[in-house]
Amino acid sequence: DFVAIKKQFVIIGLGRFGGSVCKELIKQGHEVLAVDTDEHKVNDFAKFATHAVVANSTDEETLRSLGVRNFENVVVAIGDNIQASILTTLLLKELGVKNVLVKAKNDYHHKVLEKIGADHIVHPEKDMGRRVAQHLSDDKIIDF
Ligand code: ATP
C-alpha cells in the first residue's frame, strides 16, 4: 500500500478549485490551513480543513501573523482577482515559501506569475481538457 508522507499546506481561496484541492489533501491525510476573505466559505470549510480562517492574503502582516512562512507548500487559488493573485504570490515568495502553486486565469497572468517566481502554475480548465482528450483518444476506451 502507498502511504503519503504527511505534509502541511496553506490553501488561499476556497472556490471550486481551491476547495477541491483542500478536500482532497485532507482526504489524503495532510494538514491544511484554509484561507479566504469570505466568511461563509471559511465556515463551510471548517469541517474540511485542519484550520480555516478569514483573512486577506494581499496583506503582508496578515500572512506573517498566520505563520505562512513556516509552510513549504502554498496554493494560491484566487480566481477572478488577478491583481490579488499576483500580489499574494509575490508576498509568499518574499516571505520565503518554497513551493507556491498558483491557478492562472490567462496567458498574461501566467507570464507575470512566472516572472515573480511562482513555482508551479496551473490552468485547471485547459489542463483538464487536455487530460480528458488523452483519455478519450486512449484505445482502451471504447465507450464512455
Ligand atoms: P473557481 O473557478 O475555482 O471557483 P473562481 O475563479 O470563481 O474560482 P474566485 O471565486 O474569484 O475564483 O476566487 C476564489 C476564492 O478566493 C473566493 O472564495 C474568494 O473569496 C477568495 N479570495 C479572493 N481574493 C482573496 C484574498 N485576497 N485573500 C483570500 N481569499 C481571497
Side-chain angles (χ1 to χ4, degrees), residues 89-126:
T89 303
L90 184 66
L91 291 172
L92 292 169
K93 288 313 290 180
E94 276 182 359
L95 286 171
V97 176
K98 203 164 135 197
N99 257 312
V100 181
L101 183 146
V102 193
K103 168 186 153 164
K105 204 173 163 62
N106 55 43
D107 292 344
Y108 159 77
H109 190 189
H110 186 115
K111 208 166 167 172
V112 176
L113 291 171
E114 223 167 33
K115 275 270 185 216
I116 61 175
D119 302 283
H120 299 279
I121 304 168
V122 296
H123 298 255
E125 292 89 350
K126 226 161 121 179

Short mmCIF file of all heavy atoms in Angstrom, two decimals, residues 89-126:
data_model
loop_
_atom_site.label_atom_id
_atom_site.label_comp_id
_atom_site.label_asym_id
_atom_site.label_seq_id
_atom_site.Cartn_x
_atom_site.Cartn_y
_atom_site.Cartn_z
N THR A 89 1.11 36.01 -4.44
CA THR A 89 2.23 35.18 -4.87
C THR A 89 3.56 35.87 -4.58
O THR A 89 4.50 35.26 -4.05
CB THR A 89 2.11 34.86 -6.38
OG1 THR A 89 0.85 34.24 -6.62
CG2 THR A 89 3.23 33.95 -6.85
N LEU A 90 3.62 37.15 -4.91
CA LEU A 90 4.83 37.94 -4.67
C LEU A 90 5.20 37.95 -3.18
O LEU A 90 6.34 37.71 -2.80
CB LEU A 90 4.60 39.37 -5.18
CG LEU A 90 5.77 40.35 -5.12
CD1 LEU A 90 6.87 39.90 -6.07
CD2 LEU A 90 5.31 41.74 -5.51
N LEU A 91 4.21 38.19 -2.32
CA LEU A 91 4.45 38.24 -0.88
C LEU A 91 4.91 36.88 -0.36
O LEU A 91 5.83 36.79 0.47
CB LEU A 91 3.17 38.67 -0.14
CG LEU A 91 2.74 40.14 -0.35
CD1 LEU A 91 1.36 40.38 0.27
CD2 LEU A 91 3.78 41.10 0.25
N LEU A 92 4.29 35.81 -0.86
CA LEU A 92 4.67 34.46 -0.41
C LEU A 92 6.11 34.14 -0.76
O LEU A 92 6.86 33.59 0.05
CB LEU A 92 3.73 33.41 -1.04
CG LEU A 92 2.28 33.45 -0.56
CD1 LEU A 92 1.42 32.55 -1.45
CD2 LEU A 92 2.17 33.02 0.90
N LYS A 93 6.51 34.52 -1.98
CA LYS A 93 7.90 34.27 -2.39
C LYS A 93 8.85 35.14 -1.58
O LYS A 93 9.92 34.70 -1.19
CB LYS A 93 8.07 34.48 -3.89
CG LYS A 93 7.44 33.41 -4.77
CD LYS A 93 7.73 31.96 -4.34
CE LYS A 93 9.16 31.52 -4.56
NZ LYS A 93 9.37 30.10 -4.11
N GLU A 94 8.46 36.39 -1.30
CA GLU A 94 9.29 37.27 -0.47
C GLU A 94 9.45 36.74 0.94
O GLU A 94 10.50 36.90 1.56
CB GLU A 94 8.68 38.68 -0.43
CG GLU A 94 9.07 39.54 -1.61
CD GLU A 94 8.50 40.96 -1.54
OE1 GLU A 94 7.78 41.28 -0.56
OE2 GLU A 94 8.77 41.72 -2.47
N LEU A 95 8.40 36.10 1.44
CA LEU A 95 8.45 35.53 2.79
C LEU A 95 9.28 34.24 2.83
O LEU A 95 9.55 33.70 3.88
CB LEU A 95 7.04 35.26 3.32
CG LEU A 95 6.22 36.47 3.75
CD1 LEU A 95 4.77 36.06 4.03
CD2 LEU A 95 6.83 37.11 5.01
N GLY A 96 9.61 33.75 1.66
CA GLY A 96 10.46 32.56 1.59
C GLY A 96 9.75 31.22 1.47
O GLY A 96 10.36 30.18 1.71
N VAL A 97 8.48 31.24 1.09
CA VAL A 97 7.76 29.97 0.91
C VAL A 97 8.39 29.24 -0.29
O VAL A 97 8.56 29.82 -1.36
CB VAL A 97 6.25 30.20 0.68
CG1 VAL A 97 5.54 28.87 0.40
CG2 VAL A 97 5.63 30.89 1.88
N LYS A 98 8.73 27.97 -0.06
CA LYS A 98 9.49 27.22 -1.05
C LYS A 98 8.68 26.86 -2.29
O LYS A 98 9.12 27.04 -3.42
CB LYS A 98 10.00 25.94 -0.38
CG LYS A 98 11.21 25.34 -1.04
CD LYS A 98 11.87 24.34 -0.11
CE LYS A 98 12.22 23.07 -0.88
NZ LYS A 98 12.48 21.94 0.02
N ASN A 99 7.49 26.33 -2.05
CA ASN A 99 6.66 25.83 -3.15
C ASN A 99 5.35 26.58 -3.24
O ASN A 99 4.45 26.36 -2.43
CB ASN A 99 6.33 24.36 -2.87
CG ASN A 99 7.17 23.46 -3.71
OD1 ASN A 99 7.30 23.66 -4.93
ND2 ASN A 99 7.75 22.47 -3.06
N VAL A 100 5.24 27.44 -4.24
CA VAL A 100 3.98 28.19 -4.41
C VAL A 100 3.35 27.74 -5.73
O VAL A 100 3.94 27.90 -6.79
CB VAL A 100 4.23 29.71 -4.40
CG1 VAL A 100 2.90 30.46 -4.55
CG2 VAL A 100 4.92 30.14 -3.11
N LEU A 101 2.17 27.16 -5.63
CA LEU A 101 1.43 26.72 -6.81
C LEU A 101 0.28 27.69 -7.02
O LEU A 101 -0.48 27.97 -6.08
CB LEU A 101 0.90 25.29 -6.61
CG LEU A 101 0.15 24.68 -7.80
CD1 LEU A 101 0.41 23.18 -7.87
CD2 LEU A 101 -1.35 24.94 -7.73
N VAL A 102 0.15 28.22 -8.20
CA VAL A 102 -0.86 29.25 -8.47
C VAL A 102 -1.75 28.87 -9.63
O VAL A 102 -1.28 28.38 -10.66
CB VAL A 102 -0.19 30.61 -8.79
CG1 VAL A 102 -1.22 31.73 -8.75
CG2 VAL A 102 0.95 30.92 -7.82
N LYS A 103 -3.04 29.12 -9.45
CA LYS A 103 -4.00 28.93 -10.53
C LYS A 103 -3.99 30.19 -11.39
O LYS A 103 -4.23 31.28 -10.89
CB LYS A 103 -5.39 28.69 -9.93
CG LYS A 103 -6.52 28.76 -10.93
CD LYS A 103 -7.86 28.65 -10.26
CE LYS A 103 -8.91 29.37 -11.09
NZ LYS A 103 -10.28 29.02 -10.70
N ALA A 104 -3.70 30.03 -12.69
CA ALA A 104 -3.67 31.18 -13.59
C ALA A 104 -4.95 31.26 -14.40
O ALA A 104 -5.57 30.25 -14.73
CB ALA A 104 -2.47 31.08 -14.51
N LYS A 105 -5.34 32.48 -14.70
CA LYS A 105 -6.58 32.70 -15.43
C LYS A 105 -6.37 32.84 -16.93
O LYS A 105 -7.21 32.45 -17.72
CB LYS A 105 -7.23 33.98 -14.88
CG LYS A 105 -8.71 34.05 -15.09
CD LYS A 105 -9.30 35.25 -14.39
CE LYS A 105 -10.68 35.58 -14.92
NZ LYS A 105 -11.62 34.48 -14.69
N ASN A 106 -5.23 33.41 -17.31
CA ASN A 106 -4.95 33.59 -18.75
C ASN A 106 -3.43 33.68 -18.96
O ASN A 106 -2.65 33.58 -18.01
CB ASN A 106 -5.66 34.86 -19.27
CG ASN A 106 -5.30 36.09 -18.45
OD1 ASN A 106 -4.14 36.30 -18.09
ND2 ASN A 106 -6.30 36.90 -18.13
N ASP A 107 -3.04 33.87 -20.21
CA ASP A 107 -1.61 33.86 -20.55
C ASP A 107 -0.86 35.03 -19.94
O ASP A 107 0.31 34.91 -19.54
CB ASP A 107 -1.43 33.87 -22.08
CG ASP A 107 -1.91 32.57 -22.71
OD1 ASP A 107 -2.08 31.58 -21.96
OD2 ASP A 107 -2.12 32.55 -23.93
N TYR A 108 -1.51 36.17 -19.86
CA TYR A 108 -0.88 37.35 -19.24
C TYR A 108 -0.59 37.07 -17.76
O TYR A 108 0.50 37.30 -17.26
CB TYR A 108 -1.80 38.57 -19.40
CG TYR A 108 -1.52 39.67 -18.41
CD1 TYR A 108 -0.42 40.51 -18.59
CD2 TYR A 108 -2.32 39.83 -17.28
CE1 TYR A 108 -0.15 41.50 -17.66
CE2 TYR A 108 -2.05 40.82 -16.36
CZ TYR A 108 -0.96 41.65 -16.55
OH TYR A 108 -0.69 42.61 -15.63
N HIS A 109 -1.60 36.55 -17.09
CA HIS A 109 -1.47 36.18 -15.67
C HIS A 109 -0.31 35.19 -15.50
O HIS A 109 0.55 35.35 -14.64
CB HIS A 109 -2.80 35.58 -15.22
CG HIS A 109 -2.93 35.36 -13.75
ND1 HIS A 109 -3.99 34.66 -13.20
CD2 HIS A 109 -2.15 35.71 -12.70
CE1 HIS A 109 -3.84 34.61 -11.89
NE2 HIS A 109 -2.74 35.24 -11.56
N HIS A 110 -0.27 34.18 -16.36
CA HIS A 110 0.78 33.15 -16.33
C HIS A 110 2.17 33.78 -16.44
O HIS A 110 3.07 33.47 -15.67
CB HIS A 110 0.55 32.17 -17.49
CG HIS A 110 1.49 31.00 -17.47
ND1 HIS A 110 1.05 29.70 -17.28
CD2 HIS A 110 2.83 30.93 -17.61
CE1 HIS A 110 2.10 28.89 -17.30
NE2 HIS A 110 3.19 29.60 -17.51
N LYS A 111 2.30 34.69 -17.40
CA LYS A 111 3.59 35.32 -17.67
C LYS A 111 4.09 36.11 -16.45
O LYS A 111 5.26 36.02 -16.07
CB LYS A 111 3.42 36.26 -18.86
CG LYS A 111 4.65 36.47 -19.66
CD LYS A 111 4.31 37.12 -20.99
CE LYS A 111 5.56 37.62 -21.68
NZ LYS A 111 5.29 38.09 -23.04
N VAL A 112 3.19 36.85 -15.82
CA VAL A 112 3.57 37.63 -14.64
C VAL A 112 3.94 36.69 -13.49
O VAL A 112 4.95 36.90 -12.82
CB VAL A 112 2.44 38.60 -14.21
CG1 VAL A 112 2.81 39.33 -12.93
CG2 VAL A 112 2.13 39.59 -15.33
N LEU A 113 3.15 35.65 -13.31
CA LEU A 113 3.42 34.69 -12.23
C LEU A 113 4.80 34.05 -12.38
O LEU A 113 5.54 33.88 -11.40
CB LEU A 113 2.34 33.59 -12.20
CG LEU A 113 0.95 34.05 -11.76
CD1 LEU A 113 -0.07 32.93 -11.97
CD2 LEU A 113 0.95 34.49 -10.29
N GLU A 114 5.14 33.75 -13.62
CA GLU A 114 6.44 33.16 -13.91
C GLU A 114 7.56 34.12 -13.50
O GLU A 114 8.51 33.73 -12.84
CB GLU A 114 6.52 32.91 -15.42
CG GLU A 114 7.13 31.60 -15.81
CD GLU A 114 6.87 31.31 -17.29
OE1 GLU A 114 6.82 32.28 -18.09
OE2 GLU A 114 6.69 30.14 -17.62
N LYS A 115 7.40 35.38 -13.87
CA LYS A 115 8.39 36.43 -13.58
C LYS A 115 8.62 36.63 -12.09
O LYS A 115 9.73 36.89 -11.66
CB LYS A 115 7.93 37.77 -14.17
CG LYS A 115 8.29 37.96 -15.61
CD LYS A 115 9.65 38.62 -15.76
CE LYS A 115 9.92 38.91 -17.22
NZ LYS A 115 11.26 38.76 -17.66
N ILE A 116 7.54 36.54 -11.30
CA ILE A 116 7.69 36.82 -9.88
C ILE A 116 8.03 35.58 -9.06
O ILE A 116 8.08 35.62 -7.85
CB ILE A 116 6.45 37.54 -9.30
CG1 ILE A 116 5.20 36.68 -9.43
CG2 ILE A 116 6.24 38.90 -9.99
CD1 ILE A 116 3.98 37.29 -8.76
N GLY A 117 8.26 34.46 -9.75
CA GLY A 117 8.80 33.29 -9.07
C GLY A 117 7.82 32.22 -8.62
O GLY A 117 8.18 31.37 -7.80
N ALA A 118 6.62 32.21 -9.19
CA ALA A 118 5.69 31.11 -8.88
C ALA A 118 6.36 29.80 -9.28
O ALA A 118 6.98 29.72 -10.34
CB ALA A 118 4.38 31.28 -9.64
N ASP A 119 6.26 28.78 -8.43
CA ASP A 119 6.96 27.53 -8.69
C ASP A 119 6.18 26.59 -9.60
O ASP A 119 6.76 25.83 -10.35
CB ASP A 119 7.29 26.85 -7.35
CG ASP A 119 8.13 27.76 -6.48
OD1 ASP A 119 9.33 27.87 -6.74
OD2 ASP A 119 7.57 28.42 -5.57
N HIS A 120 4.87 26.64 -9.48
CA HIS A 120 4.00 25.83 -10.36
C HIS A 120 2.82 26.70 -10.75
O HIS A 120 2.25 27.39 -9.90
CB HIS A 120 3.49 24.58 -9.64
CG HIS A 120 4.58 23.67 -9.20
ND1 HIS A 120 5.21 22.78 -10.04
CD2 HIS A 120 5.19 23.55 -7.99
CE1 HIS A 120 6.16 22.14 -9.37
NE2 HIS A 120 6.17 22.59 -8.13
N ILE A 121 2.46 26.63 -12.01
CA ILE A 121 1.32 27.41 -12.50
C ILE A 121 0.37 26.44 -13.20
O ILE A 121 0.81 25.67 -14.06
CB ILE A 121 1.79 28.52 -13.47
CG1 ILE A 121 2.84 29.41 -12.79
CG2 ILE A 121 0.60 29.35 -13.95
CD1 ILE A 121 3.58 30.34 -13.73
N VAL A 122 -0.89 26.47 -12.80
CA VAL A 122 -1.86 25.56 -13.42
C VAL A 122 -3.01 26.34 -14.04
O VAL A 122 -3.35 27.44 -13.60
CB VAL A 122 -2.40 24.51 -12.41
CG1 VAL A 122 -1.29 23.60 -11.93
CG2 VAL A 122 -3.10 25.18 -11.23
N HIS A 123 -3.56 25.74 -15.09
CA HIS A 123 -4.75 26.28 -15.78
C HIS A 123 -5.78 25.15 -15.73
O HIS A 123 -5.81 24.32 -16.65
CB HIS A 123 -4.41 26.63 -17.23
CG HIS A 123 -3.37 27.68 -17.40
ND1 HIS A 123 -3.70 28.97 -17.76
CD2 HIS A 123 -2.03 27.64 -17.25
CE1 HIS A 123 -2.57 29.68 -17.84
NE2 HIS A 123 -1.55 28.91 -17.53
N PRO A 124 -6.58 25.07 -14.66
CA PRO A 124 -7.43 23.90 -14.46
C PRO A 124 -8.28 23.49 -15.66
O PRO A 124 -8.28 22.31 -16.02
CB PRO A 124 -8.30 24.29 -13.27
CG PRO A 124 -7.46 25.24 -12.51
CD PRO A 124 -6.69 26.02 -13.54
N GLU A 125 -8.98 24.43 -16.29
CA GLU A 125 -9.86 24.04 -17.41
C GLU A 125 -9.05 23.50 -18.59
O GLU A 125 -9.37 22.46 -19.16
CB GLU A 125 -10.72 25.21 -17.87
CG GLU A 125 -11.77 25.67 -16.86
CD GLU A 125 -11.24 26.74 -15.91
OE1 GLU A 125 -10.00 27.00 -15.91
OE2 GLU A 125 -12.05 27.32 -15.16
N LYS A 126 -7.97 24.23 -18.91
CA LYS A 126 -7.11 23.84 -20.03
C LYS A 126 -6.44 22.49 -19.76
O LYS A 126 -6.45 21.60 -20.61
CB LYS A 126 -6.02 24.92 -20.19
CG LYS A 126 -5.78 25.38 -21.59
CD LYS A 126 -5.07 26.72 -21.54
CE LYS A 126 -3.73 26.70 -22.23
NZ LYS A 126 -3.08 28.02 -22.19
#
